[in-house]
Amino acid sequence: MEKNHYQGLINKYRQYLPVTDKTPVITLNEGNTPLIKADNLAKKIGIKGNVYLKYEGANPTGSFKDRGMTMAVTKAVEDGAKAIICASTGNTSAAAAAYGAKAGVRVFVLIPDGYIALGKLSQAMMYGAEIIAIQGNFDEALEMVIEISKNSPITLVNSVNPYRIEGQKTGAFEIIEALGDAPDYHFIPVGNAGNITAYFKGYEEFYALKKSSHLPKMMGYEAQGAAAIVRGERILHPETIATAIRIGNPASWKQAERARDLSNGTIDCVTDDEIIEAYKLMASTEGILAEPGSAASVAGLIKAHKSGLIKENSTSVCILTGNGLKDPDSAIKYSNAEVKKTKADLHEILKVIDLSEKISR
Ligand SMILES: *Cc1c(COP(=O)(O)O)cnc(C)c1O
């Protein structure tokens, strides 16, 4: 193995993960994602402190789900599995399909018909998953795949699979290594609540190893129309434009509350309008396109700042869970951008550019 060739998070963090030298690692070189300093965004929001965006859209299938999937599929293969199954709002199916293709196992994905972004569906199709769209939502799909995996030799790779959490906790390791310590605040979208659980586990483990001086406050944000944890009850018909977090009965509900309580953090919700505002702001101020579900973390940062929850000179990290290219429909719909059409004629083009207006943003 080339010493300087990054070979994915299992190889990087194997001493903290449930693998041995004999484990057949299934990797697409996931992890090691950019932690981008977002000074323009911080200034625009009015935050006097450091804001970083952890761009998980840079993973091989474009979302953080790859971190969990490399572990889940690796362990499934180690245990002799020939097939895997998941319920998905889109990104889990894309990741399962890709890692399943790499491993050479059959992949079954259950998705809510009509509620998954185009890019995600196209990924599952190209990677060769067997796709089943149900007339129901994610929560119903999850109940069914749990039932199927109990009664047949198909391994469940949703985040109720503990290996998913193990892989995903490495995001916290990367943040601590990049910053030299844990941040003060960790903002994250909450759907099924596996990721907030995983990050907190990672922070707890590195804190116990004295690699950080404190735990960050875990700041989780559900979409208002799917805010089961905030409201304290299962939502039967969750609704939000952020389809990745359109989940009304989070599987890791209790663990998310534990992360909130032990870190003195919060689990709150943001409206679709707040999500869209954050989605556009990130793109226009930082040049970062993340999907609407991801924007819930930045919407949460804005909301927390307005409520005076962010101390001056503190460090906040927002997890941008998925790549904005997965959902071009939302990008086109909410950008309000106008495409100016003209003849292929220099004079006409210069008229459109209109140099009499000042050239700056
Ligand atoms: C899966 C997903 C989430 C939600 O993560 P959970 O672990 O289910 O809370 C958020 N954003 C994106 C883009 C996702 O794919």
Side-chain angles (χ1 to χ4, degrees):
M1 193 189 298
E2 287 289 337
K3 208 168 185 305
N4 294 323
H5 179 199
Y6 179 81
Q7 303 224 13
L9 59 86
I10 295 180
N11 285 314
K12 171 94 191 272
Y13 294 112
R14 55 170 56 244
Q15 66 193 112
Y16 310 112
L17 295 169
V19 292
T20 69
D21 292 346
K22 295 199 185 65
T23 304
V25 176
I26 308 296
T27 182
L28 294 169
N29 296 13
E30 59 298 310
N32 195 25
T33 54
L35 185 67
I36 303 165
K37 188 111 189 290
D39 290 341
N40 298 337
L41 182 68
K43 195 171 164 206
K44 192 91 175 185
I45 300 172
I47 290 180
K48 295 190 183 68
N50 303 309
V51 173
Y52 292 89
L53 306 174
K54 179 81 168 152
Y55 189 52
E56 290 291 286
N59 276 298
T61 79
S63 87
F64 76 83
K65 299 296 197 305
D66 292 350
R67 291 184 186 273
M69 208 54 75
T70 183
M71 269 306 307
V73 174
T74 289
K75 295 303 284 188
V77 170
E78 185 171 42
D79 295 341
K82 298 278 182 279
I84 59 176
I85 192 167
C86 65
S88 180
T89 59
N91 284 329
T92 301
S93 65
Y99 286 81
K102 182 84 173 179
V105 300
R106 282 181 80 181
V107 180
F108 299 96
V109 303
L110 256 72
I111 55 170
D113 198 10
Y115 285 91
I116 103 165
L118 205 60
K120 304 175 188 182
L121 185 61
S122 68
Q123 287 180 289
M125 288 173 162
M126 280 299 286
Y127 299 135
E130 296 169 56
I131 304 163
I132 304 154
I134 65 160
Q135 286 154 16
N137 59 34
F138 170 85
D139 303 290
E140 294 165 299
L142 182 60
E143 280 170 21
M144 285 174 212
V145 295
I146 288 174
E147 201 55 37
I148 292 166
S149 67
K150 264 189 207 150
N151 299 311
S152 58
I154 308 179
T155 303
L156 181 67
V157 295
N158 279 104
S159 59
V160 291
N161 177 329
Y163 296 125
R164 282 276 309 275
I165 305 297
E166 289 298 309
Q168 287 170 211
K169 77 184 180 189
T170 59
F173 297 168
E174 290 177 15
I175 291 169
I176 290 172
E177 286 175 352
L179 298 178
D181 201 346
D184 299 304
Y185 306 94
H186 178 97
F187 288 86
I188 186 165
V190 174
N192 215 20
N195 212 24
I196 189 171
T197 301
Y199 268 97
F200 193 58
K201 186 166 199 283
Y203 284 125
E204 280 188 306
E205 289 184 10
F206 263 26
Y207 177 64
L209 293 168
K210 302 203 161 50
K211 288 174 181 285
S212 62
S213 67
H214 61 278
L215 293 171
K217 289 188 196 304
M218 299 301 289
M219 314 290 280
Y221 289 83
E222 298 183 294
Q224 186 171 283
I229 300 174
V230 174
R231 287 169 50 178
E233 62 185 9
R234 178 179 180 162
I235 314 278
L236 281 178
H237 301 289
E239 275 311 334
T240 168
I241 57 136
T243 50
I245 53 173
R246 185 175 169 268
I247 294 174
N249 188 26
S252 299
W253 188 319
K254 288 283 159 296
Q255 293 91 316
E257 290 183 334
R258 176 183 174 277
R260 174 195 66 195
D261 297 342
L262 290 182
S263 74
N264 288 314
T266 187
I267 293 182
D268 197 354
C269 61
V270 283
T271 65
D272 279 3
D273 285 348
E274 290 169 322
I275 287 172
I276 292 165
E277 185 198 336
Y279 176 53
K280 293 165 68 169
L281 206 55
M282 277 189 289
S284 62
T285 63
E286 294 291 343
I288 296 173
L289 184 59
E291 64 173 282
S294 305
S297 62
V298 171
L301 174 71
I302 295 170
K303 185 172 182 183
H305 171 67
K306 280 183 186 157
S307 327
L309 289 178
I310 311 290
K311 281 214 192 81
E312 261 190 38
N313 300 320
S314 57
T315 296
S316 299
V317 171
C318 299
I319 305 301
L320 302 184
T321 45
N323 197 309
L325 292 175
K326 284 175 173 274
D327 190 358
D329 295 326
S330 291
I332 289 168
K333 181 166 173 195
Y334 297 113
S335 69
N336 304 324
E338 173 200 359
V339 178
K340 296 169 181 164
K341 300 196 179 189
T342 176
K343 286 196 205 106
D345 174 280
L346 193 57
H347 185 70
E348 291 294 321
I349 295 168
L350 283 171
K351 257 207 304 212
V352 173
I353 290 174
D354 190 5
L355 284 170
S356 66
E357 277 183 33
K358 76 175 178 14
I359 300 288
S360 85
R361 290 173 75 115

